[in-house]
Amino acid sequence: QRKFGNLPPLEKEVLQRELDERFVESAERFDPLENRTLEELDAAEDDVSEEDFLHQYRRQRLAELKAAQASARFGELRQLCRASYVQEVTEASAGGQWVLLLLYTDANYQCHPMMKPWAEAARRFPMIKFLQGVASEIIPDFPDSLTPTVIIYKDKECVKQVQGLDDWGGGRTNIDTIQWHLAELGIIETDQENDPRRARVGSSQEEEEFQGKDSA
């Protein structure tokens, strides 16, 4: 199962939220005056306004990190079965929660480039619920030719369906191209300045080869 991308890699991955948790814990224990001498404390009186500003900034930053930790509820890709659809998708999207379900089929070569990056996206954006499921098992008679399809829920409503690979990056789909399209959809914010889908050296030839494999 691991070689098909259904399981995360064996290497230990330190998530950003874990780093944030460590920072919050250490910052809460930090006292900038703890190890100062009397002379240093006297000199520090001249910097009261600066210290006040730093303390205020520190409290604000800690509040932001704690809020981010509270929203980081997921952090892994989950396999969905039809019986759990209402609970894991519809009901789980209540209260403004984003739920993204990738419908795929192993027989369709177009789905393969999405599998590993989709799992990576689940780890990179733990505030979003990422799911995947075999299309025909989730929705009976769902055409294999329409996979991959991503169904997007929020507030118990299906707000968008993205069919095919093109929007995600085509045959060169990766975590960065997925991040870009999630930002286009308004699901996340990104600091990416350029569309990574356009930065493809020799992409035309590679896309033609990819399409050829699919039609073979």
Side-chain angles (χ1 to χ4, degrees):
Q1 291 295 314
R2 193 176 305 280
K3 69 178 180 180
F4 291 112
N6 296 330
L7 294 174
L10 289 173
E11 301 87 37
K12 178 176 176 60
E13 180 174 339
V14 180
L15 299 177
Q16 184 62 46
R17 71 173 185 271
E18 294 177 347
L19 297 176
D20 289 343
E21 288 173 357
R22 296 174 189 175
F23 174 81
V24 170
E25 292 173 358
S26 61
E28 287 180 333
R29 295 193 300 266
F30 175 69
D31 181 358
L33 303 178
E34 182 178 5
N35 296 317
R36 292 194 180 187
T37 65
L38 290 176
E39 292 78 6
E40 289 173 334
L41 290 173
D42 289 338
E45 292 180 359
D46 296 331
D47 301 323
V48 171
S49 60
E50 181 180 353
E51 291 286 348
D52 288 343
F53 171 79
L54 292 175
H55 281 301
Q56 181 178 356
Y57 174 80
R58 176 171 164 267
R59 287 193 297 269
Q60 178 182 344
R61 181 60 178 150
L62 286 173
E64 292 173 352
L65 288 172
K66 287 182 176 180
Q69 290 176 19
S71 66
R73 302 166 51 193
F74 306 106
E76 63 180 1
L77 179 61
R78 304 179 186 181
Q79 189 74 20
L80 182 70
C81 63
R82 184 183 179 190
S84 302
Y85 190 99
V86 173
Q87 178 183 352
E88 296 293 335
V89 179
T90 307
E91 297 297 333
S93 68
Q97 174 64 53
W98 289 103
V99 178
L100 278 59
L101 168 61
L102 169 63
L103 298 178
Y104 70 94
T105 177
D106 288 329
N108 188 351
Y109 191 84
Q110 291 274 342
C111 295
H112 297 180
M114 277 287 287
M115 305 306 288
K116 183 177 179 179
W118 196 246
E120 292 176 1
R123 295 191 291 272
R124 180 175 290 188
F125 307 110
M127 73 293 295
I128 301 170
K129 186 173 185 178
F130 284 85
L131 301 167
Q132 67 177 18
V134 178
S136 60
E137 295 179 3
I138 302 297
I139 304 175
D141 301 321
F142 190 92
D144 289 352
S145 60
L146 296 183
T147 59
T149 289
V150 174
I151 300 177
I152 302 172
Y153 268 75
K154 185 180 182 183
D155 294 322
K156 296 186 177 183
E157 297 286 342
C158 178
V159 297
K160 182 76 174 178
Q161 293 186 32
V162 183
Q163 292 184 352
L165 273 178
D166 289 346
D167 291 328
W168 302 108
R172 291 170 57 84
T173 297
N174 57 46
I175 179 59
D176 292 326
T177 61
I178 287 180
Q179 177 173 328
W180 182 269
H181 191 48
L182 291 178
E184 285 185 324
L185 293 169
I187 297 175
I188 63 169
E189 295 182 358
T190 181
D191 57 1
Q192 293 169 306
E193 297 182 356
N194 300 307
D195 185 347
R197 297 170 301 186
R198 301 185 183 277
R200 302 178 187 176
V201 178
S203 61
S204 298
Q205 180 180 353
E206 292 181 14
E207 288 292 338
E208 290 175 1
E209 293 175 354
F210 175 76
Q211 296 293 340
K213 289 180 181 178
D214 185 51
S215 59

